[in-house]
Amino acid sequence: MGAVTARPIDGALQRQLDQWDLRLDGDVIEGHGSIIQPVRTPDGAPAILKIGGSDAESEHEHLVLRRWGGEGAVRLLSADPPHRALLLERLHSATLRSVRDVDACDVVAGLYGRLHVPAMPQLRSLVSELDGWTRRLQSLPRSAPIPHRLVEQAIALGRDLSTEPATVVLHGNLHYATALAADREPWLAIAPAPVNGDPHYELAPMLWHRWDDVAGDVRDAVRRRFHRLVDASGFDEDRARAWAVVRVVLQATRDPANLTTYVAVAKAVQQ
């Protein structure tokens, strides 16, 4: 979640407050493309009203939250899909950033097993996404700031990964900041970017977040995270490594300001 801001209630937020008979219960919070407002329901229960952006990743958030039914994830109370509005149970503000790194990896690995339910026909396919990503990498000029060797490697791995050993619902963006402390369970996942695909796709965000913790020990710290996640989840090490390289290289093309971080991760998981 982003920083708390004081702002007038905009039309989208007011519409949902009126529709669900909610009352404000704190300051609005700006998320990544979303508005997150603490509220109280008509019976006084604490909740979160989330107004999502127009990105494709959040389009089916309500569907996967309903499918999970609160098992390993925040519970969906109501949804207004045309307006990208969700009413969610309110969790605590503590994230896995406050937990020892190795323990956080165990928590996330445990959530994988609960969230990876059978594929849903409404969701995007990771295989079809992968084809587009490979073409995007192929179009990069040799002068692109990311090392060309890593780009070529990601392209080759992407081709190898086009056949999936299993297809399940993936959270898509599970890391230290997208798991919150809760009352009914110690930790619950929030903010999915759902897609159907290979479970091994999930690990990469855990490798590049909470980066301050790995300063001065990048190679060993990233490898510790990677192997802890693989061991705790029972994933295939080679396939998890391949997906990590592909995702890290793609992320470097989207977030060039943090290029050195992504290059360091890609190198560390292969050493």
Side-chain angles (χ1 to χ4, degrees):
M1 293 183 182
V4 175
T5 60
R7 50 173 284 172
I9 299 177
D10 66 20
L13 189 57
Q14 188 63 61
R15 178 187 58 240
Q16 299 305 142
L17 292 171
D18 295 341
Q19 178 176 325
W20 287 327
D21 194 19
L22 306 171
R23 70 176 190 272
L24 300 178
D25 190 39
D27 294 320
V28 89
I29 301 168
E30 292 285 357
H32 295 290
S34 302
I35 298 172
I36 301 166
Q37 171 66 60
V39 295
R40 291 276 174 173
T41 64
D43 62 2
I48 289 290
L49 173 58
K50 177 179 179 180
I51 310 293
S54 59
D55 58 292
E57 290 185 342
S58 65
E59 179 182 5
H60 297 307
E61 182 175 354
H62 67 289
L63 293 178
V64 295
L65 290 178
R66 185 171 286 119
R67 173 65 181 81
W68 289 331
E71 291 293 323
V74 63
R75 181 170 285 137
L76 177 69
L77 305 178
S78 294
D80 182 355
H83 295 117
R84 299 287 182 98
L86 306 176
L87 186 63
L88 308 167
E89 71 173 312
R90 195 187 303 179
L91 307 182
H92 299 302
S93 60
T95 72
L96 286 174
R97 292 191 182 107
S98 63
V99 175
R100 195 168 65 110
D101 205 357
V102 67
D103 295 331
C105 289
D106 287 343
V107 169
V108 168
L111 290 174
Y112 292 153
R114 303 180 67 191
L115 301 178
H116 292 169
V117 297
M120 300 175 63
Q122 303 94 329
L123 300 183
R124 298 171 295 129
S125 164
L126 195 55
V127 167
S128 61
E129 295 286 311
L130 185 58
D131 183 58
W133 294 337
T134 300
R135 289 197 303 271
R136 176 179 177 179
L137 292 177
Q138 289 172 325
S139 70
L140 286 175
R142 293 188 68 90
S143 60
I146 186 170
H148 192 67
R149 176 185 63 81
L150 284 179
V151 174
E152 291 180 328
Q153 187 176 19
I155 291 169
L157 290 171
R159 294 189 181 115
D160 293 341
L161 291 168
S162 60
T163 300
E164 296 174 341
T167 298
V168 296
V169 171
L170 305 177
H171 181 285
N173 191 36
L174 188 56
H175 56 81
Y176 302 93
T178 54
L180 297 184
D183 287 329
R184 61 183 178 85
E185 294 197 30
W187 300 98
L188 292 170
I190 63 166
V195 62
N196 290 328
D198 182 348
H200 299 82
Y201 172 83
E202 294 274 43
L203 271 68
M206 284 290 289
L207 304 180
W208 68 65
H209 281 90
R210 197 167 154 178
W211 194 247
D212 289 347
D213 287 8
V214 306
D217 187 27
V218 172
R219 176 184 178 275
D220 289 342
V222 170
R223 286 171 59 82
R224 278 195 300 271
R225 287 184 185 181
F226 175 78
H227 287 293
R228 187 72 175 208
L229 288 163
V230 168
D231 292 345
S233 62
F235 288 167
D236 177 81
E237 181 178 331
D238 290 338
R239 197 163 184 94
R241 180 179 291 108
W243 267 118
V245 172
V246 170
R247 290 196 71 180
V248 165
V249 172
L250 282 166
Q251 193 69 13
T253 67
R254 298 165 178 158
D255 183 18
N258 291 303
L259 174 63
T260 56
T261 295
Y262 303 122
V263 171
V265 170
K267 290 180 177 179
V269 296
Q270 299 180 84
Q271 293 171 344

